[in-house]
Amino acid sequence: MDDFDRLVSALRSASSVSVLTGAGVSAESGIATFRGAGGLWEGHRIEDVATPEAFAKDPERVWRFYEMRRQNAREARPNPGHTALAELEKRFPRFLLATQNVDGLHRRAGSRNLVELHGSIERRYCVRCRRTEEDLDPLETLPPACAACGDRMRPDIVWFGEPLPVEAWADAQEAARSAEVYLVVGTSAEVYPAAGLALIAADAGAAVFEINPAETALSPLFSGAIREPSGVALPRILAALEA
Ligand code: APR
């Protein structure tokens, strides 16, 4: 039995499933990943655009980076991988999708049992009064000013060195601990604590499968792998479950 059949058979008998996704799941929607050829971190230094220190030093530069990513998210559409995960959610009594992505494509595809571990590119909040705004409309001024107190707004994104949202992280850990099947989709599994969810699931005895055309830092620890783009593999898995 190959890894694909083993995964489908594990899903057939499971009632508790959880999924961790990364940038790779949005690659087929035309959104760049971070690492690897053509990745975002090839053209931008993390310390210039994705840390609280960078924002304090040059907020306009940081916002130019995020406005470019907001435009990409605005123009992007969910792909068959996103859609298949939204369908997969309906098949299991307990299902949680934990994403590292900030592009909003999982929600746009219809995923509901979803936690965004690294925030959302659609949301921004005031650094002084915490007032929040949520949209993908082009921003006139960078940095945008708070309509209530006039201070700067910052993207509601988890930057390097910042903690993950408490509730989202707690839910993601709980789902990893109680999953019978755990899918790791489109992530290089290099950024913690998110990548640690796969280890929590493996330690708790879940069957952990990776969906990624390439090997990752954690591949040797998993039960199996589907070496295909997620926009191909996930619809195939769904079709096999429905057959
Ligand atoms: N389908 C599935 N996986 C893919 C596809 C695809 N079509 N295309 C690329 N991949 C895989 C790559 O092989 C790689 O392993 O997606 C992974 C993307 O890895 P990264 O670029 O490192 O992105 P990610 O793991 O999401 O990064 C984690 O790092 O930069 C921070 O906060 C940012 O959330 C991000 C975190």
Side-chain angles (χ1 to χ4, degrees), residues 21-28 32-36 39-41 46 50 69 79 99-102 118 157-160 185-192 194 210-217 226 228-232:
T21 65
V25 82
S26 293
E28 292 150 271
T33 61
F34 293 92
R35 295 164 189 85
L40 278 173
W41 298 144
I46 287 175
R69 294 183 61 194
N79 66 58
T99 188
Q100 299 170 85
N101 300 346
V102 298
H118 293 165
I157 301 276
V158 177
W159 283 328
F160 287 86
V185 186
T187 180
S188 59
E190 290 182 20
V191 174
Y192 286 76
E210 185 170 59
I211 298 175
N212 192 323
E215 292 240 339
T216 71
I226 316 291
E228 291 172 12
S230 49
V232 174

Short mmCIF file of all heavy atoms in Angstrom, two decimals, residues 21-28 32-36 39-41 46 50 69 79 99-102 118 157-160 185-192 194 210-217 226 228-232, ligand 1:
data_model
loop_
_atom_site.label_atom_id
_atom_site.label_comp_id
_atom_site.label_asym_id
_atom_site.label_seq_id
_atom_site.Cartn_x
_atom_site.Cartn_y
_atom_site.Cartn_z
N THR A 21 -1.30 24.27 7.68
CA THR A 21 -0.91 24.69 6.34
C THR A 21 0.08 25.84 6.38
O THR A 21 0.16 26.59 7.35
CB THR A 21 -2.11 25.12 5.47
OG1 THR A 21 -2.70 26.29 6.02
CG2 THR A 21 -3.14 24.03 5.33
N GLY A 22 0.83 25.94 5.27
CA GLY A 22 1.77 27.03 5.08
C GLY A 22 1.64 27.61 3.68
O GLY A 22 0.72 27.26 2.93
N ALA A 23 2.59 28.46 3.34
CA ALA A 23 2.53 29.25 2.10
C ALA A 23 2.36 28.40 0.85
O ALA A 23 1.76 28.84 -0.13
CB ALA A 23 3.80 30.09 1.99
N GLY A 24 2.85 27.15 0.89
CA GLY A 24 2.77 26.30 -0.29
C GLY A 24 1.34 26.05 -0.75
O GLY A 24 1.08 25.88 -1.94
N VAL A 25 0.37 26.09 0.19
CA VAL A 25 -1.02 25.80 -0.19
C VAL A 25 -1.59 26.95 -1.02
O VAL A 25 -2.55 26.76 -1.77
CB VAL A 25 -1.87 25.51 1.07
CG1 VAL A 25 -2.32 26.77 1.74
CG2 VAL A 25 -3.05 24.61 0.79
N SER A 26 -0.97 28.14 -0.92
CA SER A 26 -1.43 29.28 -1.72
C SER A 26 -0.56 29.54 -2.95
O SER A 26 -0.87 30.44 -3.75
CB SER A 26 -1.46 30.55 -0.84
OG SER A 26 -2.45 30.43 0.15
N ALA A 27 0.48 28.73 -3.14
CA ALA A 27 1.38 28.93 -4.29
C ALA A 27 0.61 28.83 -5.61
O ALA A 27 0.81 29.63 -6.52
CB ALA A 27 2.51 27.91 -4.25
N GLU A 28 -0.32 27.89 -5.69
CA GLU A 28 -1.09 27.70 -6.93
C GLU A 28 -2.15 28.79 -7.13
O GLU A 28 -2.83 28.82 -8.14
CB GLU A 28 -1.71 26.29 -6.96
CG GLU A 28 -0.66 25.19 -7.10
CD GLU A 28 -1.10 23.90 -6.43
OE1 GLU A 28 -0.80 23.75 -5.22
OE2 GLU A 28 -1.73 23.07 -7.10
N ALA A 32 3.43 34.18 -3.61
CA ALA A 32 4.79 33.67 -3.41
C ALA A 32 4.94 33.01 -2.05
O ALA A 32 4.32 33.44 -1.06
CB ALA A 32 5.80 34.84 -3.52
N THR A 33 5.75 31.96 -1.99
CA THR A 33 6.10 31.38 -0.69
C THR A 33 7.21 32.26 -0.10
O THR A 33 7.56 33.29 -0.66
CB THR A 33 6.57 29.92 -0.86
OG1 THR A 33 7.73 29.92 -1.70
CG2 THR A 33 5.48 29.05 -1.47
N PHE A 34 7.78 31.87 1.03
CA PHE A 34 8.79 32.70 1.70
C PHE A 34 10.20 32.28 1.36
O PHE A 34 11.06 33.11 1.09
CB PHE A 34 8.59 32.64 3.21
CG PHE A 34 7.31 33.29 3.65
CD1 PHE A 34 6.15 32.54 3.78
CD2 PHE A 34 7.26 34.64 3.92
CE1 PHE A 34 4.96 33.14 4.17
CE2 PHE A 34 6.09 35.26 4.30
CZ PHE A 34 4.92 34.50 4.42
N ARG A 35 10.43 30.98 1.47
CA ARG A 35 11.78 30.45 1.28
C ARG A 35 11.84 29.76 -0.08
O ARG A 35 10.84 29.49 -0.68
CB ARG A 35 12.10 29.50 2.43
CG ARG A 35 12.14 30.26 3.74
CD ARG A 35 12.07 29.42 4.99
NE ARG A 35 11.89 30.32 6.12
CZ ARG A 35 10.72 30.78 6.51
NH1 ARG A 35 9.61 30.39 5.87
NH2 ARG A 35 10.63 31.64 7.52
N GLY A 36 13.07 29.48 -0.53
CA GLY A 36 13.19 28.82 -1.84
C GLY A 36 13.19 29.84 -2.95
O GLY A 36 12.96 31.03 -2.73
N GLY A 39 11.17 33.18 -3.48
CA GLY A 39 10.44 33.41 -2.24
C GLY A 39 10.55 34.85 -1.76
O GLY A 39 11.46 35.59 -2.15
N LEU A 40 9.59 35.26 -0.91
CA LEU A 40 9.56 36.65 -0.41
C LEU A 40 10.86 37.02 0.30
O LEU A 40 11.34 38.15 0.18
CB LEU A 40 8.39 36.82 0.55
CG LEU A 40 7.02 37.08 -0.07
CD1 LEU A 40 5.95 37.05 1.02
CD2 LEU A 40 6.99 38.41 -0.80
N TRP A 41 11.44 36.08 1.03
CA TRP A 41 12.64 36.42 1.80
C TRP A 41 13.87 36.50 0.91
O TRP A 41 14.95 36.82 1.37
CB TRP A 41 12.85 35.45 2.94
CG TRP A 41 11.72 35.46 3.96
CD1 TRP A 41 11.25 34.37 4.62
CD2 TRP A 41 10.95 36.57 4.41
NE1 TRP A 41 10.21 34.74 5.46
CE2 TRP A 41 9.99 36.10 5.34
CE3 TRP A 41 10.95 37.94 4.12
CZ2 TRP A 41 9.06 36.92 5.98
CZ3 TRP A 41 10.02 38.75 4.75
CH2 TRP A 41 9.10 38.26 5.67
N ILE A 46 14.10 40.01 6.39
CA ILE A 46 13.12 39.89 7.49
C ILE A 46 13.28 41.07 8.45
O ILE A 46 12.31 41.72 8.84
CB ILE A 46 13.31 38.54 8.21
CG1 ILE A 46 12.80 37.40 7.33
CG2 ILE A 46 12.59 38.54 9.56
CD1 ILE A 46 13.04 36.01 7.89
N ALA A 50 9.66 42.64 8.77
CA ALA A 50 8.79 41.72 9.52
C ALA A 50 9.17 41.56 10.98
O ALA A 50 9.10 40.46 11.54
CB ALA A 50 8.77 40.35 8.84
N ARG A 69 1.76 42.81 -0.49
CA ARG A 69 1.16 41.51 -0.19
C ARG A 69 -0.35 41.60 -0.13
O ARG A 69 -1.06 40.65 -0.52
CB ARG A 69 1.75 40.97 1.12
CG ARG A 69 3.24 40.66 1.00
CD ARG A 69 3.80 40.08 2.26
NE ARG A 69 3.14 38.81 2.59
CZ ARG A 69 3.27 38.23 3.78
NH1 ARG A 69 3.97 38.81 4.74
NH2 ARG A 69 2.66 37.09 4.03
N ASN A 79 -7.57 28.17 -4.47
CA ASN A 79 -7.36 27.13 -5.48
C ASN A 79 -7.98 25.81 -5.00
O ASN A 79 -8.47 25.73 -3.87
CB ASN A 79 -5.85 26.99 -5.78
CG ASN A 79 -5.07 26.48 -4.60
OD1 ASN A 79 -5.34 25.40 -4.06
ND2 ASN A 79 -4.08 27.26 -4.15
N THR A 99 -3.66 27.58 10.20
CA THR A 99 -2.84 28.05 9.09
C THR A 99 -1.82 29.08 9.55
O THR A 99 -2.10 29.87 10.45
CB THR A 99 -3.68 28.63 7.95
OG1 THR A 99 -2.81 28.90 6.85
CG2 THR A 99 -4.42 29.90 8.35
N GLN A 100 -0.66 29.04 8.90
CA GLN A 100 0.36 30.06 9.10
C GLN A 100 0.15 31.21 8.12
O GLN A 100 0.78 32.24 8.22
CB GLN A 100 1.75 29.44 8.88
CG GLN A 100 2.09 28.33 9.85
CD GLN A 100 3.37 27.61 9.44
OE1 GLN A 100 4.47 28.02 9.77
NE2 GLN A 100 3.21 26.54 8.67
N ASN A 101 -0.75 30.99 7.14
CA ASN A 101 -0.96 31.96 6.08
C ASN A 101 -1.82 33.13 6.58
O ASN A 101 -2.73 32.94 7.37
CB ASN A 101 -1.61 31.30 4.88
CG ASN A 101 -0.74 30.18 4.33
OD1 ASN A 101 0.42 30.08 4.67
ND2 ASN A 101 -1.33 29.33 3.50
N VAL A 102 -1.50 34.30 6.06
CA VAL A 102 -2.23 35.52 6.45
C VAL A 102 -3.09 36.03 5.29
O VAL A 102 -3.68 37.09 5.39
CB VAL A 102 -1.23 36.61 6.88
CG1 VAL A 102 -0.44 36.15 8.11
CG2 VAL A 102 -0.30 37.02 5.74
N HIS A 118 -0.71 33.24 12.43
CA HIS A 118 0.20 34.38 12.20
C HIS A 118 -0.56 35.65 11.85
O HIS A 118 0.01 36.60 11.30
CB HIS A 118 1.22 34.02 11.10
CG HIS A 118 2.16 32.96 11.51
ND1 HIS A 118 2.97 32.27 10.62
CD2 HIS A 118 2.45 32.42 12.73
CE1 HIS A 118 3.69 31.37 11.28
NE2 HIS A 118 3.40 31.44 12.54
N ILE A 157 -0.37 41.20 12.01
CA ILE A 157 0.44 40.06 11.60
C ILE A 157 1.38 39.73 12.75
O ILE A 157 1.86 40.64 13.43
CB ILE A 157 1.29 40.44 10.37
CG1 ILE A 157 0.41 40.88 9.20
CG2 ILE A 157 2.24 39.33 9.97
CD1 ILE A 157 -0.12 39.78 8.35
N VAL A 158 1.66 38.45 12.98
CA VAL A 158 2.62 38.07 14.01
C VAL A 158 4.02 38.20 13.42
O VAL A 158 4.38 37.45 12.50
CB VAL A 158 2.38 36.63 14.50
CG1 VAL A 158 3.44 36.23 15.52
CG2 VAL A 158 0.98 36.49 15.09
N TRP A 159 4.77 39.19 13.90
CA TRP A 159 6.12 39.37 13.38
C TRP A 159 7.11 38.51 14.16
O TRP A 159 6.82 38.01 15.23
CB TRP A 159 6.52 40.86 13.49
CG TRP A 159 5.89 41.71 12.45
CD1 TRP A 159 5.58 41.33 11.17
CD2 TRP A 159 5.47 43.08 12.57
NE1 TRP A 159 5.02 42.39 10.48
CE2 TRP A 159 4.95 43.47 11.31
CE3 TRP A 159 5.50 44.02 13.60
CZ2 TRP A 159 4.46 44.75 11.07
CZ3 TRP A 159 5.03 45.30 13.35
CH2 TRP A 159 4.51 45.66 12.11
N PHE A 160 8.29 38.31 13.56
CA PHE A 160 9.32 37.51 14.23
C PHE A 160 9.60 38.12 15.60
O PHE A 160 9.71 39.32 15.75
CB PHE A 160 10.58 37.45 13.37
CG PHE A 160 10.42 36.58 12.17
CD1 PHE A 160 9.88 37.09 10.98
CD2 PHE A 160 10.74 35.23 12.22
CE1 PHE A 160 9.69 36.28 9.87
CE2 PHE A 160 10.55 34.41 11.12
CZ PHE A 160 10.02 34.93 9.94
N VAL A 185 0.64 20.53 5.37
CA VAL A 185 0.48 20.85 3.96
C VAL A 185 1.17 22.15 3.58
O VAL A 185 0.88 23.21 4.16
CB VAL A 185 -1.03 20.98 3.60
CG1 VAL A 185 -1.21 21.17 2.10
CG2 VAL A 185 -1.83 19.78 4.09
N GLY A 186 2.14 22.07 2.65
CA GLY A 186 2.72 23.28 2.08
C GLY A 186 3.49 24.14 3.04
O GLY A 186 3.48 25.38 2.94
N THR A 187 4.18 23.52 3.99
CA THR A 187 5.05 24.30 4.88
C THR A 187 6.44 23.66 4.95
O THR A 187 6.56 22.43 4.94
CB THR A 187 4.46 24.43 6.30
OG1 THR A 187 5.36 25.19 7.12
CG2 THR A 187 4.20 23.07 6.95
N SER A 188 7.47 24.51 5.05
CA SER A 188 8.84 24.00 5.15
C SER A 188 9.12 23.51 6.57
O SER A 188 10.16 22.93 6.83
CB SER A 188 9.82 25.12 4.79
OG SER A 188 9.63 26.23 5.67
N ALA A 189 8.14 23.75 7.47
CA ALA A 189 8.26 23.30 8.87
C ALA A 189 9.56 23.81 9.51
O ALA A 189 10.22 23.10 10.26
CB ALA A 189 8.19 21.77 8.94
N GLU A 190 9.92 25.05 9.21
CA GLU A 190 11.14 25.64 9.78
C GLU A 190 10.84 26.71 10.82
O GLU A 190 11.75 27.13 11.54
CB GLU A 190 11.98 26.27 8.66
CG GLU A 190 12.61 25.22 7.75
CD GLU A 190 13.49 25.86 6.67
OE1 GLU A 190 13.90 27.03 6.87
OE2 GLU A 190 13.72 25.20 5.65
N VAL A 191 9.60 27.17 10.89
CA VAL A 191 9.28 28.27 11.80
C VAL A 191 8.47 27.77 13.00
O VAL A 191 7.41 27.18 12.83
CB VAL A 191 8.53 29.40 11.05
CG1 VAL A 191 8.06 30.47 12.00
CG2 VAL A 191 9.45 29.99 9.99
N TYR A 192 9.02 28.03 14.17
CA TYR A 192 8.37 27.60 15.43
C TYR A 192 7.75 28.80 16.13
O TYR A 192 8.19 29.93 15.86
CB TYR A 192 9.41 26.92 16.32
CG TYR A 192 9.75 25.54 15.80
CD1 TYR A 192 10.58 25.38 14.70
CD2 TYR A 192 9.19 24.41 16.36
CE1 TYR A 192 10.85 24.11 14.17
CE2 TYR A 192 9.45 23.14 15.87
CZ TYR A 192 10.29 23.01 14.77
OH TYR A 192 10.54 21.76 14.24
N ALA A 194 4.82 27.16 15.31
CA ALA A 194 3.82 26.51 14.45
C ALA A 194 4.26 25.11 14.00
O ALA A 194 3.49 24.15 14.11
CB ALA A 194 3.53 27.39 13.24
N GLU A 210 2.57 14.29 5.29
CA GLU A 210 3.01 15.56 4.70
C GLU A 210 2.54 15.63 3.25
O GLU A 210 2.65 14.64 2.51
CB GLU A 210 4.54 15.60 4.75
CG GLU A 210 5.18 16.88 4.29
CD GLU A 210 6.66 16.88 4.62
OE1 GLU A 210 7.38 15.97 4.14
OE2 GLU A 210 7.09 17.75 5.39
N ILE A 211 2.03 16.80 2.86
CA ILE A 211 1.67 17.02 1.46
C ILE A 211 2.53 18.18 0.99
O ILE A 211 2.33 19.34 1.39
CB ILE A 211 0.17 17.31 1.31
CG1 ILE A 211 -0.64 16.09 1.78
CG2 ILE A 211 -0.18 17.67 -0.14
CD1 ILE A 211 -2.12 16.26 1.81
N ASN A 212 3.52 17.88 0.17
CA ASN A 212 4.52 18.85 -0.23
C ASN A 212 5.37 18.23 -1.34
O ASN A 212 5.84 17.10 -1.18
CB ASN A 212 5.42 19.19 0.97
CG ASN A 212 6.30 20.40 0.74
OD1 ASN A 212 6.80 20.62 -0.36
ND2 ASN A 212 6.51 21.18 1.79
N PRO A 213 5.56 18.94 -2.45
CA PRO A 213 6.39 18.35 -3.52
C PRO A 213 7.82 18.07 -3.06
O PRO A 213 8.50 17.22 -3.62
CB PRO A 213 6.39 19.43 -4.61
CG PRO A 213 5.25 20.34 -4.29
CD PRO A 213 5.07 20.27 -2.81
N ALA A 214 8.27 18.78 -2.03
CA ALA A 214 9.66 18.65 -1.57
C ALA A 214 9.72 18.13 -0.14
O ALA A 214 8.76 18.27 0.62
CB ALA A 214 10.35 20.01 -1.65
N GLU A 215 10.86 17.54 0.20
CA GLU A 215 11.11 17.10 1.58
C GLU A 215 11.25 18.35 2.46
O GLU A 215 11.61 19.42 1.96
CB GLU A 215 12.44 16.33 1.63
CG GLU A 215 12.40 15.01 0.91
CD GLU A 215 12.70 13.84 1.84
OE1 GLU A 215 13.32 14.09 2.90
OE2 GLU A 215 12.27 12.72 1.54
N THR A 216 10.95 18.19 3.75
CA THR A 216 11.10 19.32 4.67
C THR A 216 11.91 18.89 5.89
O THR A 216 12.26 17.72 6.03
CB THR A 216 9.73 19.82 5.16
OG1 THR A 216 9.20 18.83 6.05
CG2 THR A 216 8.78 20.08 4.03
N ALA A 217 12.12 19.85 6.78
CA ALA A 217 12.95 19.59 7.96
C ALA A 217 12.40 18.45 8.81
O ALA A 217 13.14 17.77 9.52
CB ALA A 217 13.02 20.87 8.80
N ILE A 226 2.85 12.76 0.55
CA ILE A 226 2.34 12.83 -0.82
C ILE A 226 3.16 13.92 -1.50
O ILE A 226 3.03 15.11 -1.16
CB ILE A 226 0.85 13.20 -0.85
CG1 ILE A 226 0.05 12.43 0.20
CG2 ILE A 226 0.28 13.06 -2.25
CD1 ILE A 226 -0.12 10.97 -0.02
N GLU A 228 3.24 15.86 -4.03
CA GLU A 228 2.52 16.52 -5.12
C GLU A 228 2.12 17.92 -4.67
O GLU A 228 2.04 18.18 -3.47
CB GLU A 228 1.21 15.77 -5.43
CG GLU A 228 1.36 14.41 -6.04
CD GLU A 228 0.00 13.69 -6.11
OE1 GLU A 228 -1.06 14.35 -5.89
OE2 GLU A 228 0.01 12.47 -6.33
N PRO A 229 1.83 18.82 -5.63
CA PRO A 229 1.27 20.11 -5.22
C PRO A 229 -0.05 19.88 -4.47
O PRO A 229 -0.82 18.99 -4.85
CB PRO A 229 1.03 20.83 -6.54
CG PRO A 229 1.87 20.12 -7.55
CD PRO A 229 1.98 18.70 -7.07
N SER A 230 -0.32 20.69 -3.45
CA SER A 230 -1.52 20.47 -2.64
C SER A 230 -2.80 20.67 -3.46
O SER A 230 -3.82 20.04 -3.17
CB SER A 230 -1.52 21.40 -1.44
OG SER A 230 -1.24 22.72 -1.82
N GLY A 231 -2.73 21.51 -4.51
CA GLY A 231 -3.91 21.73 -5.35
C GLY A 231 -4.28 20.51 -6.17
O GLY A 231 -5.38 20.44 -6.71
N VAL A 232 -3.37 19.55 -6.22
CA VAL A 232 -3.61 18.28 -6.92
C VAL A 232 -3.92 17.19 -5.88
O VAL A 232 -4.93 16.49 -5.97
CB VAL A 232 -2.37 17.87 -7.75
CG1 VAL A 232 -2.56 16.48 -8.35
CG2 VAL A 232 -2.07 18.91 -8.81
N1 APR B 1 1.81 22.55 -2.79
C1 APR B 1 2.32 22.15 -1.59
N2 APR B 1 3.49 22.62 -1.08
C2 APR B 1 4.18 23.51 -1.83
C3 APR B 1 3.72 23.97 -3.10
C4 APR B 1 2.47 23.44 -3.57
N3 APR B 1 1.95 23.83 -4.73
N4 APR B 1 4.63 24.87 -3.58
C5 APR B 1 5.62 24.95 -2.65
N5 APR B 1 5.35 24.13 -1.60
C6 APR B 1 6.12 23.95 -0.37
C7 APR B 1 7.62 24.16 -0.50
O1 APR B 1 8.28 22.97 -0.90
C8 APR B 1 8.01 24.56 0.94
O2 APR B 1 8.32 23.41 1.71
O3 APR B 1 5.69 24.93 0.55
C9 APR B 1 6.72 25.19 1.49
C10 APR B 1 6.76 26.70 1.72
O4 APR B 1 7.68 26.95 2.75
P1 APR B 1 7.98 28.45 3.24
O5 APR B 1 8.17 29.33 2.08
O6 APR B 1 9.08 28.34 4.25
O7 APR B 1 6.61 28.91 3.94
P2 APR B 1 6.01 28.53 5.36
O8 APR B 1 6.46 27.18 5.81
O9 APR B 1 4.56 28.79 5.31
O10 APR B 1 6.70 29.66 6.30
C11 APR B 1 6.36 29.67 7.66
O11 APR B 1 7.59 31.68 7.99
O12 APR B 1 8.21 33.57 6.96
C12 APR B 1 7.43 33.09 7.96
O13 APR B 1 5.46 33.90 8.98
C13 APR B 1 5.96 33.40 7.79
O14 APR B 1 4.05 31.93 8.00
C14 APR B 1 5.36 32.02 7.50
C15 APR B 1 6.33 31.08 8.19
#
